């Protein structure tokens, strides 16, 4: 919950004119470059460095994510960056909202609170719909482009329908918790705060801050901190985590042995992944240009930015799938927070 505050504060100061926008963007650099690469690497290490985890479901954990990444890289080389940016614009918010939902569900389980299948769907709707409604409103009324790339503008009727659905979901969520409180049933205060405070803060940033990038960097900075905390906590409970790397190195980078070493390892792994993907971007662009397949008016996206875009698409799918079940080596199966 607290991980969102620094980014939200920077966005608020920039919006009010108390902080220069360029200074605000510079303050976000460590998160949208460094923390982003680390949070991607946290997923990679969990999947590809855990014995048997990738082999357990090779289609959804290897074939599909790499195919999505390859498609994004190829399509960008052919001049499709504008479309890919628009897709990422929506997927990133869905991804963050579902992580908030995972936090809420984990908090409820930790307190032994069961809401049933219908209650879980209400929790999900209360986390997801307000952000998607705010995003559609933003794309239509506040800022219809990101980094000079146009965002798909939804019809007004869809914006109104999503806003109404979001309001109903939050009202039903609050009414349920209030009813539980009145009859003396246990109420998860942290889960309620995820919906009312965390989701509310994200919605406010999307609606109020006109700058095309600042609210997304603010939201993303909180998302990265949440993710690194959650994965680090999960990996500390698994002695066999990172089991495919040598024991001598694992002794220094396992999150249960050295949290700082683990973060350094993730930063190194993330940097290597982005660097390698950047080289692929350059090779694909050069090939497309040589074959006259890359249009002259293609969006001038930095090669590392294109690489990050492809890695993001890979990550959205992979992260969405891996949290649905625990590794077989951990001796646990079943639904996860995702």
């Amino acid at each position: 919950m607290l991980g969102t505050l620094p980014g939200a504060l920077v966005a608020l100061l920039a919006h009010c004119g108390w902080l220069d926008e360029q200074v605000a963007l510079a303050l976000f650099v460590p998160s949208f470059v460094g923390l982003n690469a680390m949070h991607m690497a946290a997923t990679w290490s969990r999947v590809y460095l855990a014995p048997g985890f990738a082999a357990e479901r090779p289609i959804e954990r290897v074939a599909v994510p790499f195919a999505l990444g390859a498609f994004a890289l190829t399509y960008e080389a052919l001049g499709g960056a504008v479309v890919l940016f628009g897709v990422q614009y929506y997927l990133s918010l869905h991804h963050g909202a579902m992580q908030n939902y995972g936090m809420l569900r984990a908090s409820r389980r930790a307190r032994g609170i069961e809401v049933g299948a219908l209650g879980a769907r209400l929790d999900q709707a209360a986390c997801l719909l307000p952000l998607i409604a705010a995003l559609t409103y933003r794309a239509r009324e506040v800022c219809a482009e990101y980094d000079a790339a146009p965002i798909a503008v939804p019809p007004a009727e869809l914006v109104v329908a999503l806003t109404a659905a979001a309001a109903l979901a939050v009202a039903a969520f609050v009414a349920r918790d209030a009813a539980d409180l009145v009859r003396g049933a246990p109420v998860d205060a942290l889960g309620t705060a995820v919906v009312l405070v965390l989701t509310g803060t994200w919605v406010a940033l999307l609606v109020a801050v006109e700058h095309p990038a600042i609210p997304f960097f603010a939201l993303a900075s909180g998302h990265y901190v949440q993710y690194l905390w959650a994965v680090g906590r999960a990996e500390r409970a698994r002695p066999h985590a990172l089991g495919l790397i040598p024991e001598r190195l694992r002794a220094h980078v396992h999150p249960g042995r050295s949290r700082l070493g683990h973060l350094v390892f993730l930063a190194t792994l993330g940097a290597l992944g982005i660097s390698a993907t950047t080289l692929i971007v350059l090779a694909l662009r050069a090939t497309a240009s040589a074959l006259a397949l890359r249009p002259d008016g293609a969006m001038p996206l930095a090669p590392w930015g294109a690489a990050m875009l492809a890695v993001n698409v890979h990550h959205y799918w992979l992260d969405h799938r891996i949290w649905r079940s625990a590794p077989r080596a951990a001796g646990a199966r079943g639904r996860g927070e995702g």
Side-chain angles (χ1 to χ4, degrees):
M1 288 289 291
L2 296 177
T4 294
L5 292 181
L9 179 60
V10 171
L12 177 62
L13 292 175
H15 174 65
C16 294
W18 299 332
L19 184 68
D20 182 78
E21 288 184 346
Q22 295 304 312
V23 174
L25 292 173
L27 290 175
F28 281 125
V29 166
S31 69
F32 67 76
V33 175
L35 288 181
N36 192 6
M38 290 170 65
H39 119 279
M40 303 293 181
T43 296
W44 299 337
S45 66
R46 182 171 172 82
V47 177
Y48 302 124
L49 296 180
F53 198 14
E56 183 181 332
R57 290 191 176 94
I59 299 300
E60 72 176 37
R61 294 176 181 165
V62 180
V64 173
F66 277 95
L68 289 172
F71 167 77
L73 290 169
T74 304
Y75 192 45
E76 192 283 330
L78 298 175
V82 170
V83 175
L84 291 172
F85 251 98
V87 171
Q88 180 175 285
Y89 203 80
Y90 286 88
L91 287 179
S92 62
L93 262 293
H94 177 273
H95 181 68
M98 290 301 288
Q99 180 170 283
N100 290 345
Y101 167 64
M103 291 170 54
L104 187 156
R105 296 287 295 155
S107 179
R108 291 199 188 283
R109 281 198 298 273
R111 289 158 178 77
I113 299 175
E114 293 294 336
V115 296
L118 185 60
R121 288 303 180 189
L122 177 59
D123 290 347
Q124 187 180 49
C127 290
L128 181 61
L129 288 178
L131 281 175
I132 298 301
L135 181 58
T136 57
Y137 173 83
R138 175 183 177 83
R140 184 173 182 85
E141 305 293 340
V142 180
C143 183
E145 65 177 31
Y146 182 96
D147 197 17
I151 304 302
V153 178
E157 294 80 7
L158 178 61
V159 177
V160 172
L162 285 172
T163 302
L168 287 174
V170 173
F173 178 92
V174 172
R176 183 193 62 193
D177 279 9
D180 288 344
L181 187 63
V182 168
R183 63 186 177 87
V187 175
D188 178 23
L190 180 59
T192 303
V194 168
V195 172
L196 299 184
V197 179
L198 181 57
T199 303
T201 299
W202 286 19
V203 167
L205 290 174
L206 288 171
V207 172
V209 180
E210 297 89 351
H211 191 282
I214 284 179
F216 289 93
F217 290 155
L219 271 60
S221 66
H223 171 78
Y224 303 151
V225 171
Q226 292 169 4
Y227 190 88
L228 290 170
W229 178 86
V231 172
R233 188 166 180 263
E235 296 292 80
R236 284 196 294 274
R238 298 197 306 140
H240 59 278
L242 307 178
L244 293 184
I245 63 177
E247 172 58 32
R248 182 173 296 181
L249 175 60
R250 189 162 69 251
H252 297 288
V253 301
H254 189 285
R257 304 181 190 181
S258 173
R259 297 186 184 183
L260 178 59
H262 182 61
L263 294 177
V264 171
F265 171 73
L266 293 181
T268 303
L269 181 60
L272 290 174
I274 298 301
S275 298
T277 313
T278 300
L279 294 177
I280 297 174
V281 169
L282 293 173
L284 287 174
R285 284 183 179 180
T287 301
S289 297
L291 297 175
L293 296 176
R294 183 174 176 83
D296 294 334
M299 183 179 176
L301 190 62
W304 70 266
M308 188 70 77
L309 189 151
V311 170
N312 283 341
V313 174
H314 174 284
H315 173 78
Y316 296 148
W317 167 264
L318 190 60
D319 189 54
H320 166 71
R321 298 304 302 173
I322 66 170
W323 286 98
R324 290 182 174 272
S325 61
R328 180 171 295 160
R333 306 291 298 169
R335 300 285 291 182
E337 284 93 17

